[in-house]
Coordinates of all heavy atoms in Angstrom, one line a residue:
D15 N -10.9 -38.2 18.5 CA -11.5 -36.9 18.9 C -13.0 -37.0 19.0 O -13.6 -36.4 19.9 CB -11.1 -35.9 17.8 CG -9.6 -35.6 17.8 OD1 -8.9 -35.8 18.8 OD2 -9.1 -35.0 16.8
E16 N -13.6 -37.8 18.1 CA -15.1 -37.9 18.1 C -15.5 -38.6 19.4 O -16.5 -38.2 20.0 CB -15.5 -38.7 16.9 CG -15.5 -38.0 15.6 CD -15.7 -38.9 14.4 OE1 -16.1 -40.1 14.6 OE2 -15.5 -38.5 13.2
V17 N -14.8 -39.7 19.8 CA -15.2 -40.5 21.0 C -15.0 -39.6 22.2 O -15.9 -39.6 23.1 CB -14.3 -41.7 21.0 CG1 -14.5 -42.4 22.4 CG2 -14.7 -42.7 20.0
L18 N -13.9 -38.9 22.3 CA -13.7 -38.1 23.5 C -14.7 -37.0 23.7 O -15.1 -36.7 24.7 CB -12.2 -37.6 23.5 CG -11.1 -38.7 23.6 CD1 -9.7 -38.0 23.7 CD2 -11.3 -39.5 24.9
A19 N -15.0 -36.4 22.5 CA -16.0 -35.3 22.5 C -17.4 -35.9 22.9 O -18.2 -35.2 23.6 CB -16.1 -34.7 21.1
E20 N -17.7 -37.0 22.4 CA -19.0 -37.7 22.7 C -19.2 -38.0 24.2 O -20.2 -37.8 24.8 CB -19.2 -38.9 21.8 CG -20.5 -39.8 22.2 CD -21.8 -39.1 21.8 OE1 -21.7 -38.1 21.0 OE2 -22.8 -39.5 22.3
L21 N -18.1 -38.6 24.7 CA -18.2 -39.0 26.1 C -17.9 -38.0 27.1 O -18.3 -38.1 28.3 CB -17.2 -40.2 26.3 CG -17.5 -41.5 25.5 CD1 -16.4 -42.5 25.7 CD2 -18.9 -42.1 25.8
G22 N -17.2 -36.9 26.7 CA -16.9 -35.8 27.6 C -16.1 -36.3 28.8 O -16.4 -35.8 29.9
I23 N -15.2 -37.2 28.6 CA -14.5 -37.8 29.7 C -13.5 -36.9 30.4 O -12.7 -36.2 29.7 CB -13.8 -39.1 29.3 CG1 -14.9 -40.1 28.8 CG2 -12.9 -39.7 30.3 CD1 -14.3 -41.4 28.2
N24 N -13.5 -36.8 31.7 CA -12.5 -36.1 32.4 C -11.6 -37.1 33.1 O -11.7 -37.4 34.2 CB -13.2 -35.2 33.5 CG -12.2 -34.3 34.2 OD1 -11.0 -34.1 33.7 ND2 -12.5 -33.8 35.3
D25 N -10.7 -37.6 32.3 CA -9.8 -38.7 32.8 C -8.3 -38.1 32.7 O -7.9 -37.8 31.6 CB -9.9 -39.9 31.9 CG -9.1 -41.1 32.4 OD1 -8.0 -40.9 32.9 OD2 -9.5 -42.3 32.2
P26 N -7.6 -38.1 33.8 CA -6.3 -37.5 33.8 C -5.3 -38.3 32.8 O -4.5 -37.6 32.2 CB -5.8 -37.8 35.3 CG -7.1 -37.8 36.1 CD -8.1 -38.5 35.2
Q27 N -5.5 -39.6 32.7 CA -4.7 -40.3 31.8 C -4.9 -39.9 30.3 O -4.0 -39.8 29.5 CB -4.9 -41.8 31.9 CG -3.8 -42.7 31.2 CD -3.9 -44.1 31.5 OE1 -5.0 -44.7 31.2 NE2 -2.9 -44.8 32.0
L28 N -6.2 -39.7 29.9 CA -6.5 -39.3 28.6 C -6.0 -37.9 28.3 O -5.5 -37.6 27.2 CB -8.0 -39.5 28.3 CG -8.5 -40.9 28.3 CD1 -10.0 -40.9 28.1 CD2 -7.9 -41.8 27.3
E29 N -6.2 -37.1 29.3 CA -5.7 -35.7 29.2 C -4.1 -35.7 29.0 O -3.6 -35.0 28.2 CB -6.0 -34.9 30.5 CG -5.6 -33.4 30.4 CD -5.8 -32.7 31.8 OE1 -6.5 -33.3 32.6 OE2 -5.2 -31.7 32.0
L30 N -3.5 -36.6 29.7 CA -2.0 -36.8 29.6 C -1.7 -37.2 28.2 O -0.7 -36.7 27.6 CB -1.5 -37.8 30.6 CG -0.1 -38.2 30.6 CD1 0.9 -37.1 30.8 CD2 0.2 -39.3 31.7
A31 N -2.4 -38.1 27.7 CA -2.1 -38.7 26.3 C -2.3 -37.6 25.3 O -1.4 -37.5 24.4 CB -3.1 -39.8 26.0
M32 N -3.3 -36.8 25.4 CA -3.5 -35.7 24.4 C -2.4 -34.6 24.5 O -2.0 -34.1 23.5 CB -4.9 -35.0 24.6 CG -6.1 -36.0 24.3 SD -6.2 -36.5 22.5 CE -5.4 -38.1 22.6
K33 N -2.0 -34.3 25.7 CA -0.9 -33.4 25.9 C 0.4 -33.9 25.3 O 1.2 -33.2 24.7 CB -0.7 -33.0 27.4 CG 0.2 -31.9 27.6 CD -0.3 -30.6 27.1 CE 0.7 -29.4 27.4 NZ 0.2 -28.1 26.8
L34 N 0.7 -35.2 25.6 CA 1.9 -35.8 25.1 C 1.9 -35.8 23.5 O 2.9 -35.5 22.9 CB 1.9 -37.3 25.6 CG 3.1 -38.1 25.1 CD1 4.4 -37.5 25.6 CD2 3.0 -39.6 25.6
E35 N 0.7 -36.1 22.9 CA 0.6 -36.1 21.5 C 0.9 -34.7 20.9 O 1.7 -34.5 20.0 CB -0.8 -36.5 21.1 CG -1.0 -36.4 19.5 CD -2.4 -36.0 19.2 OE1 -3.1 -35.4 20.0 OE2 -2.9 -36.3 18.0
E36 N 0.4 -33.7 21.6 CA 0.6 -32.3 21.1 C 2.0 -31.9 21.1 O 2.6 -31.3 20.2 CB -0.2 -31.3 22.0 CG -0.1 -29.9 21.6 CD -0.8 -29.0 22.6 OE1 -1.7 -29.4 23.4 OE2 -0.4 -27.8 22.7
I37 N 2.7 -32.2 22.2 CA 4.1 -31.9 22.4 C 5.0 -32.6 21.4 O 5.8 -32.1 20.7 CB 4.6 -32.1 23.8 CG1 3.9 -31.2 24.8 CG2 6.1 -32.0 23.9 CD1 4.2 -31.4 26.3
A38 N 4.8 -33.9 21.3 CA 5.6 -34.8 20.4 C 5.4 -34.4 18.9 O 6.4 -34.4 18.2 CB 5.2 -36.3 20.6
R39 N 4.2 -34.0 18.6 CA 3.9 -33.7 17.1 C 4.6 -32.4 16.8 O 4.8 -32.1 15.6 CB 2.4 -33.6 16.9 CG 1.7 -34.9 16.8 CD 0.2 -34.7 16.7 NE -0.2 -34.2 15.4 CZ -0.5 -35.0 14.3 NH1 -0.5 -36.3 14.5 NH2 -0.8 -34.5 13.2
N40 N 4.9 -31.5 17.7 CA 5.5 -30.2 17.5 C 7.0 -30.1 17.9 O 7.6 -29.1 17.6 CB 4.7 -29.1 18.2 CG 3.3 -29.0 17.6 OD1 3.1 -28.6 16.5 ND2 2.3 -29.4 18.4
D41 N 7.5 -31.1 18.5 CA 8.9 -31.1 18.9 C 9.8 -31.5 17.7 O 9.6 -32.5 17.1 CB 9.1 -32.2 20.0 CG 10.5 -32.1 20.7 OD1 11.5 -32.2 19.9 OD2 10.6 -31.8 21.9
P42 N 10.8 -30.6 17.4 CA 11.6 -30.8 16.2 C 12.3 -32.2 16.2 O 12.5 -32.8 15.2 CB 12.7 -29.7 16.3 CG 12.0 -28.6 17.1 CD 11.1 -29.3 18.1

């Protein structure tokens, strides 16, 4: 989170990774 905030990267793959993490962490 610190690295992505520092770099402010707009990378579709990184966006995809964060979305995947969010869904998987909340999926029963």
Side-chain angles (χ1 to χ4, degrees):
D15 292 340
E16 288 170 8
V17 168
L18 295 181
E20 173 68 16
L21 297 177
I23 295 174
N24 184 20
D25 185 325
Q27 193 177 54
L28 294 178
E29 183 187 345
L30 172 60
M32 293 296 98
K33 188 66 177 174
L34 179 62
E35 178 213 22
E36 182 188 339
I37 292 174
R39 284 175 73 92
N40 294 293
D41 190 299

